[in-house]
Amino acid sequence: MKRDPKHRGRADKWVQITHEEAFDLIEKEYKRITAKYGRKSCVVFSGTGREGGGMNPYATNVLRTPNMCYTQSGYACYLPRLASAAYIVGVVYPELDYAGGLPGRYDDPAYEVPECLILWGKAPLESNPDGFFGHAVIDLMRRGTRIISVDPRVNWLSTRADHHLRLRPGTDTALGMALLNIIIKEGIYDKQFVESWTYGFDKLAERVKDMPPEKAAGICGVKMEDIYAVARMYATAKPAAIQWGLAVDQKANGMQTAQCIISLMSITGNIDVPGGQILADINGNVNEVGYNMDQGIGDDFNLMIGLQEYPACCQVTFQSHADLTLKTLETGKPYPLKFGFYAGNNLLSCTSMEPQRWAKAINESLEFCMTIECFMTPTAEATCDLIFPLATICERDGTVFTHYGGSPVTIGFTNKAVEKQGESLSDLEFVYLLGKRLHPDLWTDCKSVNDFIDKLRLGGRYKFKDVHKLVSVQHEVKYRKFETGDLRRDHEPGFNTPTGRIELYSTIFEQLGDDPLPYYVEPKYSPVSTPELLDKYPFVLTTGARVIGFFHSEHRQIPYLRELNPNPLVEIHPKNAAKLGIADGQWCEVYNQFGSAKYKAKVTCAVDEKTIHAQHGWWFPEDDGNAPNLYGTFRSNINNLIPNFHFGKLGFGAPVKCMLCNIKPITESYDTDMALVWKKFGKGE
Ligand SMILES: Nc1nc2c(c(=O)[nH]1)N[C@H]1C(S)=C(S)[C@@H](COP(=O)(O)OP(=O)(O)OC[C@H]3O[C@@H](n4cnc5c(=O)[nH]c(N)nc54)[C@H](O)[C@@H]3O)O[C@H]1N2
Ligand SMILES: Nc1nc2c(c(=O)[nH]1)N[C@H]1C(S)=C(S)[C@@H](COP(=O)(O)OP(=O)(O)OC[C@H]3O[C@@H](n4cnc5c(=O)[nH]c(N)nc54)[C@H](O)[C@@H]3O)O[C@H]1N2
Ligand SMILES: [Mo]
């Protein structure tokens, strides 16, 4: 469907056109805009990983722009963890070894069940994140693994944990430093591993003296004895593992939390051992994208927004910096952005902080904007001029990669369940056809979209037609690869870092202008850094802990799933609720100096008395789509309260899980009319 740009935000102005007409329109706009402003004026907005996520680089390839942008402030998802590991260990995200890829699984002779598992800011039963399947934690618990939870909130796993450190959101680095402090002071680390395979241990030992456990206890709001108990339990368990989640990324100080967590794994000798943290085989592994990043872009790569300012972030993500992209949209500097393409991103409802600011900036800057989507979303409604219907993963054969190809485990093949509906295209078909249209010289060796998938998606290693019957392809799992040379391109023993060792003192952080050792900084807005705001905003706000029924902003229009969670919920402790006159199920306003959002109260001890938790990703597909309502997406949008531009020195992180706020009851009710949801989106059941 297309719509005149002057009618952006008008749900009744879409006109259905053919694919041919749509590609004509794109070609015309692309040629017009790039002739005037250059190809760099194109921007691809991306969201979280999914099959089409592998498409984003191809999309930049097709538009030949250096600007692909995952629009969450500070790229605060997964990449801070991947990047810190890449810089410090030389391999991306060290995952818990859950016996994936071993023929005998948990009973394989090569495997050992971890004695202890720390779940740090991750809730794998709800989130099954990044290729990890949460049930593995239960499987391991059945085989004896003891759990430690580091999480301000209570969840199913934390209630089964030996220790639950309910720290104040955003203070993780203080805790990490204190754990290192104890383990080093008590000598309960793996001296041989430290001696042979790490760099900078003495400097780390000196640094963590700054964070004695009594100090961390005060900062984090947990008992000092519990910090000691956790340090001793983790360090003396053999093997032991840490699963570290999104809470690490969603703070400006997150790279330092990551640094502490990697240091904990390393000094206890749990890196690349059975039941510890598994590392990818750097030479034998498939990577998801299997493709040459600067194909067709050449030196324009250097024009990427944010590359000069935050190379640590942009070089490793191959993406322009979100916050600086927002600034560029607002100012037209260093050059204007004019042509937009959303590839799996609903930034108004979910991905981006200060969403109204993003919407305004996009609409004022972009002359043309398009998307390929499964649903009409608030973002497409507000800002797009062209929308292609997407064939979902149920309607096509596809590929998925666990851990983004960063671990030695599997590639999965998904086989379609139903025939394609209507005139939809898959992401890969779309980008293939668009590439052929805009640059007939591109992918000349691909005669069909299947050739394109084999070449670019599967990196030439597999043929889709041969392997989709397998459902999953497993790689051989090897341990202690630092001894055999499989962790370095030159096949020498050691790690793929400048010193060849795990850098507890990070020479790369130092080169990039950050402190080589971990340090604690308070969140920008917190009871400690802004005590003057406490009268007005007495609660710490954390957001977005995953729920089973929704994937971010998706599935609100699937009545079966919406029934599980019909309204946006904010969690508040019973004592606070009583004090503020908030009843369970009452509508409230959550607010701070940046904005407000309306939520239904869930009065629960899952949060403590200092903390409030609000769900993310809300919009109401049953509501009026016309601007300014836009399916009610700004009404219950917790990102109204979270500012951009509060990332760390290297360009990573955002205060998504550590802001301040207040909450008050309101008299209006916004209860979802489930009968209406069923009527609009159900099939009459
Ligand atoms: N307050 C708060 N905000 C958050 C978070 C939080 O914890 N708290 N989490 C953040 C995180 S970690 C992330 S990753 C972002 C996620 O942000 P997004 O990735 O933007 O979120 P989604 O709603 O999953 O997806 C965006 C759109 O992609 C469409 N889509 C789904 N599958 C496909 C596909 O295969 N191809 C295409 N082309 N489109 C598809 C969906 O219909 C949806 O409209 O949100 C962030 N926002
Ligand atoms: N069902 C479902 N699954 C999903 C998603 C979804 O939207 N829905 N999104 C996917 C995406 S893109 C991502 S990135 C992953 C994320 O998945 P996870 O990494 O599991 O992250 P979250 O569920 O956001 O939060 C995990 C835990 O962190 C806690 N927490 C909050 N603030 C802090 C803090 O400051 N410190 C600590 N230590 N803990 C804190 C929360 O209480 C929560 O229990 O999930 C993926 N899977
Ligand atoms: Mo994410």
Side-chain angles (χ1 to χ4, degrees):
M1 296 191 295
K2 76 166 182 184
R3 184 174 61 184
D4 191 310
K6 71 173 182 284
H7 290 136
R8 284 181 190 169
R10 291 282 303 272
D12 57 346
K13 292 287 182 190
W14 291 102
V15 182
Q16 191 177 350
I17 56 173
T18 64
H19 279 156
E20 205 48 32
E21 288 169 307
F23 282 118
D24 286 347
L25 176 64
I26 299 173
E27 188 179 353
K28 188 178 116 225
E29 288 298 299
Y30 179 74
K31 288 191 169 147
R32 179 183 71 77
I33 289 172
T34 55
K36 193 157 166 204
Y37 302 101
R39 295 186 311 240
K40 61 187 185 299
S41 69
C42 301
V43 56
V44 178
F45 299 114
S46 72
T48 185
R50 42 178 58 98
E51 193 208 21
M55 166 182 91
N56 300 330
Y58 315 141
T60 51
N61 207 216
V62 162
L63 299 176
R64 302 220 165 146
T65 171
N67 293 313
M68 167 168 85
C69 179
Y70 168 73
T71 61
Q72 187 182 177
S73 176
Y75 210 121
C77 172
Y78 202 42
L79 258 296
R81 282 172 282 157
L82 294 190
S84 54
Y87 292 146
I88 296 169
V89 187
V91 183
V92 296
Y93 190 72
E95 179 58 276
L96 154 72
D97 178 18
Y98 54 96
L102 293 175
R105 197 75 205 267
Y106 304 110
D107 300 322
D108 197 285
Y111 187 64
E112 281 180 55
V113 172
E115 279 180 27
C116 164
L117 170 62
I118 304 186
L119 293 164
W120 192 316
K122 183 167 208 151
L125 301 190
E126 289 82 0
S127 63
N128 300 290
D130 306 308
F132 178 81
F133 297 100
H135 71 79
V137 174
I138 312 268
D139 296 342
L140 291 176
M141 288 166 78
R142 288 207 170 111
R143 287 164 174 80
T145 302
R146 313 296 305 179
I147 300 292
I148 294 170
S149 170
V150 179
D151 195 312
R153 291 170 58 252
V154 176
N155 59 33
W156 192 92
L157 285 167
S158 71
T159 64
R160 272 99 180 145
D162 286 24
H163 299 284
H164 181 190
L165 296 180
R166 296 185 70 179
L167 77 178
R168 167 162 64 91
T171 61
D172 300 73
T173 305
L175 176 66
M177 290 176 73
L179 293 172
L180 289 164
N181 173 306
I182 296 166
I183 292 168
I184 294 173
K185 194 171 59 194
E186 300 195 348
I188 45 178
Y189 57 92
D190 184 332
K191 297 186 183 76
Q192 208 191 331
F193 186 86
V194 165
E195 176 68 25
S196 308
W197 302 108
T198 69
Y199 173 79
F201 178 77
D202 294 342
K203 290 185 182 126
L204 175 72
E206 204 46 45
R207 172 59 60 88
V208 297
K209 284 187 185 151
D210 295 351
M211 191 56 76
E214 54 275 21
K215 183 171 166 193
I219 293 172
C220 304
V222 298
K223 286 200 197 115
M224 186 175 71
E225 303 80 80
D226 292 345
I227 304 181
Y228 272 101
V230 165
R232 288 168 185 157
M233 180 170 163
Y234 171 72
T236 56
K238 290 284 170 276
I242 303 178
Q243 270 229 304
W244 38 318
L246 180 62
V248 172
D249 309 323
Q250 290 184 329
K251 58 173 68 78
N253 195 209
M255 291 298 271
Q256 287 69 38
T257 306
Q259 215 176 355
C260 290
I261 290 174
I262 293 167
S263 302
L264 284 165
M265 296 165 175
S266 306
I267 69 166
T268 56
N270 282 304
I271 291 273
D272 215 22
V273 297
Q277 314 290 150
I278 189 97
L279 298 186
D281 172 342
I282 205 165
N283 295 309
N285 203 32
V286 200
N287 90 6
E288 175 175 19
V289 187
Y291 133 104
N292 174 2
M293 292 305 292
D294 64 12
Q295 185 187 355
I297 301 175
D299 289 345
D300 278 4
F301 188 82
N302 295 319
L303 299 173
M304 177 189 289
I305 294 164
L307 181 68
Q308 309 308 326
E309 296 88 335
Y310 300 103
C313 180
C314 297
Q315 257 177 131
V316 83
T317 60
F318 291 105
Q319 297 205 18
S320 44
H321 194 272
D323 305 75
L324 297 201
T325 300
L326 173 60
K327 201 186 256 175
T328 297
L329 287 163
E330 289 178 335
T331 61
K333 292 197 177 102
Y335 49 80
L337 292 170
K338 294 290 172 186
F339 184 111
F341 173 34
Y342 295 98
N345 167 301
N346 184 6
L347 62 78
L348 260 53
S349 311
C350 184
T351 345
S352 299
M353 307 306 124
E354 300 178 277
Q356 277 163 295
R357 179 173 174 183
W358 270 93
K360 181 165 180 280
I362 286 171
N363 274 338
E364 286 176 4
S365 185
L366 299 185
E367 291 180 9
F368 178 77
C369 189
M370 63 178 183
T371 188
I372 175 161
E373 253 292 351
C374 350
F375 303 106
M376 180 59 74
T377 65
T379 306
E381 198 69 271
T383 64
C384 283
D385 312 314
L386 186 65
I387 176 166
F388 281 83
L390 175 81
T392 65
I393 203 154
C394 310
E395 300 167 84
R396 61 176 194 259
D397 294 333
T399 51
V400 279
F401 291 71
T402 57
H403 314 286
Y404 297 82
S407 128
V409 189
T410 58
I411 312 178
F413 293 88
T414 58
N415 295 320
K416 69 182 170 196
V418 293
E419 289 307 318
K420 260 198 211 167
Q421 305 288 301
E423 293 180 279
S424 55
L425 294 175
S426 76
D427 285 311
L428 295 170
E429 275 172 326
F430 174 73
V431 83
Y432 174 73
L433 293 172
L434 187 62
K436 290 278 182 189
R437 174 62 89 101
L438 297 182
H439 308 286
D441 57 314
L442 201 58
W443 307 316
T444 41
D445 49 344
C446 298
K447 299 284 171 260
S448 70
V449 67
N450 282 350
D451 293 347
F452 171 75
I453 292 173
D454 285 351
K455 179 169 180 228
L456 288 138
R457 176 82 178 153
L458 299 177
R461 289 168 159 265
Y462 300 96
K463 286 253 174 284
F464 189 78
K465 72 174 170 33
D466 300 329
V467 288
H468 79 106
K469 294 184 198 74
L470 295 173
V471 181
S472 81
V473 176
Q474 307 218 330
H475 300 282
E476 190 191 353
V477 174
K478 292 184 251 167
Y479 296 109
R480 302 187 71 87
K481 297 185 285 295
F482 48 89
E483 289 174 341
T484 59
D486 289 331
L487 292 180
R488 289 179 59 88
R489 297 256 182 250
D490 59 9
H491 300 276
E492 289 295 318
F495 293 86
N496 195 27
T497 60
T499 57
R501 292 160 170 254
I502 296 179
E503 297 196 346
L504 305 173
Y505 176 104
S506 171
T507 61
I508 298 188
F509 278 35
E510 190 171 42
Q511 264 181 48
L512 290 166
D514 208 342
D515 192 326
L517 292 163
Y519 56 93
Y520 176 65
V521 279
E522 273 290 320
K524 169 92 177 172
Y525 301 98
S526 87
V528 177
S529 50
T530 51
E532 70 283 5
L533 294 177
L534 275 186
D535 274 353
K536 275 184 169 162
Y537 312 118
F539 300 107
V540 176
L541 173 69
T542 178
T543 71
R546 281 23 178 174
V547 290
I548 302 259
F550 300 132
F551 191 85
H552 294 295
S553 71
E554 291 185 59
H555 310 331
R556 301 304 186 285
Q557 65 283 73
I558 299 180
Y560 298 98
L561 295 175
R562 187 74 176 278
E563 287 278 9
L564 298 173
N565 192 152
N567 295 292
L569 297 177
V570 62
E571 295 171 343
I572 174 169
H573 189 275
K575 277 199 186 149
N576 295 326
K579 215 167 14 183
L580 296 168
I582 295 172
D584 190 47
Q586 179 163 2
W587 280 87
C588 298
E589 190 166 290
V590 189
Y591 61 98
N592 66 14
Q593 67 273 43
F594 295 98
S596 70
K598 297 182 171 71
Y599 277 82
K600 205 170 158 84
K602 179 173 172 185
V603 177
T604 169
C605 297
V607 286
D608 67 16
E609 285 172 56
K610 297 196 178 102
T611 310
I612 284 201
H613 166 254
Q615 294 181 342
H616 80 301
W618 274 92
W619 61 295
F620 307 90
E622 68 280 9
D623 256 28
D624 177 18
N626 287 294
N629 189 56
L630 296 169
Y631 308 97
T633 201
F634 300 129
R635 184 166 80 231
S636 302
N637 193 329
I638 202 63
N639 296 348
N640 294 339
L641 284 73
I642 305 172
N644 293 284
F645 301 103
H646 291 304
F647 42 83
K649 263 196 190 154
L650 297 179
F652 284 115
V656 183
K657 292 202 196 302
C658 48
M659 278 300 295
L660 288 180
C661 74
N662 204 347
I663 179 167
K664 63 180 181 208
I666 53 176
T667 48
E668 312 89 277
S669 165
Y670 297 89
D671 272 348
T672 289
D673 176 357
M674 275 310 298
L676 177 66
V677 177
W678 278 105
K679 188 166 152 231
K680 276 201 147 167
F681 305 112
K683 287 193 179 153
E685 293 90 339

